[in-house]
Amino acid sequence: MIPSAEALRAMASKILGFSGAEEALVRLGAERRGNTRFANNGITTAGSAEDLTVTVVSVFGKRHGAARTNVTDEASLARVVRRSEELARLSPEDPEWMPVLPPQTYLKTQGIDSALDDLGPEARASRIAALTERSKSKGLLSSGFFEHSSSATALASSASLFAYSARTDGSFSTTARTRDGAGSGWAGLDFGRLIDLDAQRLGRSAMEKAARSASPKELPPGKYTVILEPQAVADLLGSLALSLEARSADEGRSVFSRPGGGTRIGEKMLSEKVDLISDPTAAGLSGVLFDEDGLPAQRITWFDRGVLRHLQMSRYWARKTANRSTGPVANLILPGGTDTVEEMVRTAERAILVTRFWYIRFVDPQTLLLTGITRDGTFLVEHGKIAHAVRNFRFNESPITVLKNVEMISAPRQVAGGPIPMAMPALRSREFTFSSVSQAV
């Protein structure tokens, strides 16, 4: 069972009682997780783990040191405090160190989903078995990974801060292949509530993509109108989520830097169809409720009708620039519109339909130019219909350009594999740059 707020408060209080530092911060993290892996239509491994980690940060002036343990008897807790104090005294002064926080006010999130918290290996196996039986009947090979966790995080400081957050997280992904390896499909989902997972629907989607993507035809690279499914949008915008930082923009290192100095806050950078927000209270999308210092996550509108409104501001950078700190980016939601993928296809004269992107890397952080390849289902759309599968492409494109050139946009849904929980729509965007053809399936 995940420890209650009262149990972690008592442990943190005991640890702070051992401290002789000028300031101290205790971070407690309890987690229980389980997973099942499957390949070639059969379960291959299953596992579970449970842990409680204790991190102590001790501070003398601007010198600080941290030590960690997962042994929680009284002697070990006292020892980890002494170790953190020894390290703090040996450390050089940190000019950017901020004092530990006093009590804060936090938003209320969904917390623990009891159905997901109670999930065991048998329940995971039954969902996977139903999927793999269907795969066998279709003459396909399905593989994937199903994992979930229940966790609690607590922070306590010598300035009387106490913060507690408990949550459940799950992730399910599956890849289906034709037996000759010529066709491949994928589907996946990250979720905080078990009710949001429909493993059979994901399995059917991956199998349909696998069968449909066999025998692809090659198209020349170039600029194409693209119809990006929600996972493909998330794959691009995960990098944008990591770039929403005020300091790098102020220092001229970001796509959000204004030429000549300052940030691009207030500038229209994207299509008017595009808003981009974070909401820690969004159902099924609960991310971190506070950062490692205990600073609360907030509801924030990053982009409003294409205009940049805010950038993530750390405590240190907020003090240095006389601004307010924003707290962490809890999740990322693109609220989207009312179009559907079917309408995007039906109204397209010529476009490339992309299931997802893979192996994405930064090319130029100052323009947010990314490179990667399409994967697991890439199709040519002509005259309002999916004409045939095409060989995968390598792309060189910026999500800023993609969101600037949006033509149509659907309602968002939860996706998989992002650096934070995300809900993204499908969208149609013009002039997407495919730089070369990839022979990868």
Side-chain angles (χ1 to χ4, degrees):
M1 176 176 291
I2 293 301
S4 65
E6 291 72 21
L8 293 186
R9 185 193 290 270
M11 178 179 285
S13 179
K14 177 187 291 186
I15 296 168
L16 287 171
F18 294 135
S19 176
E22 294 172 10
E23 293 184 301
L25 178 69
V26 176
R27 303 185 184 117
L28 304 175
E31 183 180 58
R32 179 165 52 82
R33 62 172 55 244
N35 66 76
T36 302
R37 189 181 298 276
F38 58 104
N40 294 333
N41 294 335
I43 291 174
T44 56
T45 62
S48 62
E50 191 166 353
D51 201 5
L52 170 60
T53 59
V54 177
T55 303
V56 180
V57 180
S58 294
V59 186
F60 297 95
K62 287 193 171 292
R63 302 176 191 273
H64 56 92
R68 176 180 295 186
T69 185
N70 62 355
V71 184
T72 57
D73 62 84
E74 191 162 313
S76 297
L77 295 177
R79 191 178 307 120
V80 76
V81 172
R82 289 198 300 274
R83 181 61 177 156
S84 70
E85 292 175 352
E86 291 167 359
L87 291 170
R89 290 191 175 94
L90 289 170
S91 299
E93 289 195 345
D94 178 356
E96 298 187 8
W97 176 254
M98 296 293 291
V100 297
L101 286 168
Q104 304 288 302
T105 301
Y106 300 101
L107 294 170
K108 184 175 176 58
T109 61
Q110 72 175 36
I112 296 287
D113 176 69
S114 59
L116 186 54
D117 185 47
D118 292 339
L119 198 67
E122 297 85 1
R124 295 195 301 270
S126 67
R127 285 170 166 82
I128 293 170
L131 185 155
T132 54
E133 284 304 311
R134 183 179 183 86
S135 178
K136 289 177 188 175
S137 71
K138 297 285 185 183
L140 300 168
L141 295 173
S142 288
S143 304
F145 193 52
F146 186 2
E147 66 176 339
H148 57 92
S149 66
S150 301
S151 62
T153 304
L155 292 178
S157 79
S158 54
S160 301
L161 167 76
F162 181 74
Y164 176 86
S165 173
R167 54 190 277 197
T168 43
D169 295 283
S171 178
F172 186 95
S173 64
T174 178
T175 300
R177 289 259 179 154
T178 56
R179 288 188 176 271
D180 63 0
S184 180
W186 178 94
L189 180 74
D190 291 344
F191 50 94
R193 306 175 302 184
L194 188 59
I195 194 174
D196 293 327
L197 173 64
D198 185 343
Q200 304 319 306
R201 181 185 63 78
L202 295 173
R204 288 195 300 274
S205 177
M207 292 174 213
E208 289 167 5
K209 290 278 180 67
R212 204 168 193 175
S213 66
S215 304
K217 299 178 181 178
E218 188 167 316
L219 292 181
K223 288 189 179 295
Y224 288 84
T225 293
V226 289
I227 299 169
L228 304 179
E229 295 192 358
Q231 185 61 49
V233 176
D235 294 337
L236 291 177
L237 266 62
S239 301
L240 189 150
L242 299 175
S243 302
L244 286 166
E245 189 203 17
R247 181 173 187 171
S248 60
D250 277 324
E251 293 179 340
R253 298 183 283 115
S254 150
V255 70
F256 303 115
S257 303
R258 187 184 299 279
T263 74
R264 298 175 71 178
I265 289 177
E267 182 177 332
K268 186 172 183 299
M269 298 180 65
L270 312 177
S271 163
E272 288 187 357
K273 296 176 183 289
V274 175
D275 297 332
L276 202 58
I277 65 173
S278 292
D279 183 357
T281 67
L285 286 173
S286 297
V288 293
L289 192 54
F290 43 80
D291 68 10
E292 62 179 10
D293 290 342
L295 193 65
Q298 304 174 31
R299 297 186 187 91
I300 297 179
T301 297
W302 307 105
F303 282 92
D304 176 20
R305 295 176 62 82
V307 177
L308 179 64
R309 295 300 186 191
H310 293 96
L311 290 170
Q312 193 268 334
M313 186 80 67
S314 69
R315 294 172 62 208
Y316 168 74
W317 200 248
R319 186 182 68 174
K320 185 178 178 67
T321 59
N323 282 295
R324 292 183 61 184
S325 54
T326 60
V329 182
N331 53 31
L332 198 64
I333 303 167
L334 204 165
T338 58
D339 301 314
T340 65
V341 173
E342 290 73 21
E343 289 171 336
M344 296 178 198
V345 170
R346 183 170 51 79
T347 58
E349 186 62 26
R350 196 165 195 261
I352 302 295
L353 173 62
V354 178
T355 298
R356 68 165 178 153
F357 295 110
W358 177 252
Y359 210 73
I360 298 171
R361 294 293 183 270
F362 279 102
V363 176
D364 179 10
Q366 290 187 310
T367 59
L368 210 57
L369 182 64
L370 308 175
T371 189
I373 62 172
T374 63
R375 190 167 178 180
D376 298 316
T378 307
F379 305 94
L380 175 66
V381 174
E382 279 190 316
H383 312 304
K385 295 180 179 178
I386 296 176
H388 56 76
V390 299
R391 286 215 176 275
N392 286 305
F393 287 107
R394 171 163 292 281
F395 72 89
N396 283 278
E397 193 54 271
S398 167
I400 297 296
T401 303
V402 173
L403 295 179
K404 185 177 180 181
N405 292 340
V406 164
E407 296 178 337
M408 300 178 73
I409 191 165
S410 76
R413 67 166 174 81
Q414 291 167 246
V415 292
I420 53 177
M422 301 172 77
M424 291 290 136
L427 57 82
R428 194 171 81 189
S429 180
R430 61 185 178 278
E431 297 186 344
F432 188 96
T433 305
F434 291 116
S435 53
S436 62
V437 174
S438 169
Q439 299 302 315
V441 175

